[in-house]
């Protein structure tokens, strides 16, 4: 009398198990081990990401309870601006130099090439540069449609100066946003200088953050989309701290000379409170290429 498995046209279970070869069994074990290793690596990466990015005091205010707790302990006041400002002018500076890779960056193959979802090599360089600039502006306009946008593509230092001064004139006392894309120029210098071009596009010209901040004034927010952006942030912070010390010294000298009168005890404004600097990566890191 046939079993149910045989009546259904299938081999018995014991027969199926015995039909697996040792090679197939080893392959199944290897697949399970590979899956376990992938899961462990993903868990470890998530833990490192949490440790690096989401363990500062300011991240405790992500929910209502955390925000109330942070306010009670005065944590939010350390980084959040109390005065609300409007971003009324946006300066977009793109240094792509399409077709010429920076001398200090070795790109892998294959390499991520899309800029604002545009492949620069899919069209003529001038057309690609213009399209990328328009796409970047369109992305910002979704966030702030009423701001005045001004753009320079592969600019010289004089172009950047005119752009910054014009944006400050437009914004008056409101905030200016300065977006810098340095994908087509070398990494910032150890002194925190970014790179632009000369008029003939035969040389890279360094531009100091001191000059840039002088043209843009305050309040301002900087978006630095380039490798080693942390170098710029560190030098920018040191520059602002030095400026604060100079202001304090000037106040002391004025108080000693009797120029401040009874108002000598007035606290100085903190220039760092009016500036926000956002960098794409750390000072020793490169932009992702995959």
């Amino acid at each position: 009398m046939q079993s149910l498995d045989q009546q259904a046209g299938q081999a018995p279970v014991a027969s199926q198990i015995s039909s697996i070869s040792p090679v197939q069994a080893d392959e199944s074990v290897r697949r399970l081990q590979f899956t376990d290793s992938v899961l462990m690596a993903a868990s470890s990466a998530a833990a490192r990401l949490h440790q690096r990015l989401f363990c500062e005091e300011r991240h405790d205010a992500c929910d209502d309870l955390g925000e109330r707790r942070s306010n009670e302990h005065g944590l939010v006041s350390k980084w959040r601006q109390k005065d609300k400002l409007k971003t009324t002018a946006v300066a977009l500076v793109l240094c792509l130099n399409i077709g010429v890779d920076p001398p200090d960056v070795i790109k892998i193959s294959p390499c991520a090439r899309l800029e604002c979802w545009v492949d620069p090599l899919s069209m003529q360089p001038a057309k690609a540069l213009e399209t990328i600039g328009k796409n970047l502006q369109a992305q910002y306009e979704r966030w702030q449609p009423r701001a005045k946008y001004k753009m320079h593509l592969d600019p010289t230092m004089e172009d950047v100066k005119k752009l910054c001064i014009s944006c400050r004139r437009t914004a008056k006392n409101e905030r200016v946003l300065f977006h810098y894309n340095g994908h087509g120029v070398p990494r910032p210098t150890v002194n925190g200088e970014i790179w632009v071009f000369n008029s003939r596009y035969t040389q890279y010209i360094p531009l100091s953050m001191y000059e840039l901040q002088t043209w843009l004034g305050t309040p301002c927010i900087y978006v630095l989309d380039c490798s080693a952006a942390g170098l710029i942030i560190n030098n920018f912070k040191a520059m602002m701290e030095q400026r604060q010390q100079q202001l304090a010294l000037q106040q002391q000298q004025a108080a000693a000379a009797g120029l401040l009168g009874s108002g000598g005890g007035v606290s100085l404004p903190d220039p760092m409170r009016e500036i926000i600097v956002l960098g794409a990566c750390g000072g020793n890191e490169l932009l992702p290429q995959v």
Side-chain angles (χ1 to χ4, degrees):
M1 186 173 183
Q2 293 181 338
S3 64
L4 296 178
D5 290 333
Q6 291 173 328
Q7 292 177 0
Q10 299 177 356
V13 176
S15 177
Q16 292 181 16
I17 295 176
S18 61
S19 64
I20 299 177
S21 66
V23 176
Q24 292 175 330
D26 292 341
E27 181 66 22
S28 300
V29 172
R30 282 196 296 270
R31 288 181 179 178
L32 291 174
Q33 292 176 345
F34 176 76
T35 303
D36 291 340
S37 63
V38 170
L39 293 175
M40 292 177 61
S43 177
S44 177
R48 290 197 301 271
L49 181 64
H50 174 81
Q51 182 179 4
R52 289 185 58 188
L53 301 181
F54 304 112
C55 292
E56 298 182 11
E57 293 177 343
R58 60 191 179 91
H59 295 125
D60 291 337
C62 59
D63 54 11
D64 294 338
L65 178 61
E67 187 169 358
R68 289 196 300 269
R69 183 170 61 251
S70 299
N71 288 331
E72 292 174 359
H73 293 81
L75 300 179
V76 175
S77 61
K78 293 182 180 180
W79 65 277
R80 180 175 295 172
Q81 292 183 335
K82 295 181 180 179
D83 299 331
K84 293 185 178 180
L85 297 172
K86 294 181 180 179
T87 301
T88 57
V90 178
L92 304 177
V93 174
L94 282 74
C95 298
L96 296 179
N97 199 17
I98 296 174
V100 180
D101 291 334
D104 60 345
V105 177
I106 300 177
K107 293 187 177 182
I108 62 176
S109 180
C111 175
R113 296 188 178 275
L114 295 185
E115 297 279 353
C116 294
W117 310 111
V118 176
D119 184 358
L121 303 182
S122 64
M123 58 189 78
Q124 293 297 323
K127 181 63 176 178
L129 185 61
E130 181 182 358
T131 304
I132 293 169
K134 289 181 178 179
N135 285 5
L136 178 62
Q137 179 174 331
Q139 292 175 14
Y140 270 111
E141 286 176 341
R142 294 182 61 185
W143 161 69
Q144 182 56 283
R146 297 183 179 180
K148 300 295 183 181
Y149 291 86
K150 299 182 180 181
M151 183 189 315
H152 258 301
L153 307 174
D154 287 350
T156 64
M157 183 180 297
E158 189 63 25
D159 293 333
V160 176
K161 179 179 180 180
K162 292 179 180 179
L163 176 67
C164 295
I165 294 176
S166 175
C167 286
R168 173 48 58 192
R169 187 183 300 114
T170 300
K172 298 181 180 179
N173 295 327
E174 298 292 345
R175 179 185 289 126
V176 174
L177 186 146
F178 179 84
H179 180 105
Y180 173 76
N181 181 318
H183 295 184
V185 293
R187 284 173 283 182
T189 67
V190 293
N191 295 324
E193 298 166 313
I194 60 177
W195 296 94
V196 291
F197 303 96
N198 65 348
S199 58
R200 297 184 178 181
Y201 297 98
T202 57
Q203 292 181 337
Y204 301 107
I205 306 298
L207 172 59
S208 70
M209 295 303 296
Y210 176 82
E211 292 179 310
L212 191 61
Q213 198 276 323
T214 301
W215 300 333
L216 288 170
T218 56
C220 187
I221 178 170
Y222 297 83
V223 180
L224 307 173
D225 183 12
C226 60
S227 296
L231 289 176
I232 306 175
I233 297 176
N234 295 336
N235 283 272
F236 204 99
K237 181 178 180 181
M239 181 183 67
M240 290 293 99
E241 291 175 348
Q242 182 180 5
R243 180 171 298 182
Q244 182 70 2
Q245 294 174 0
Q246 292 175 351
L247 291 175
L249 180 60
Q250 291 175 3
Q251 187 183 41
Q252 293 176 1
Q253 294 174 347
L259 299 178
L260 295 181
S262 59
V266 178
S267 60
L268 286 170
D270 184 5
M272 290 293 291
R273 302 294 299 180
E274 299 182 347
I275 297 175
I276 301 174
V277 186
L278 305 176
C281 57
N284 58 345
E285 297 176 336
L286 296 177
L287 293 175
Q289 297 189 22
V290 293

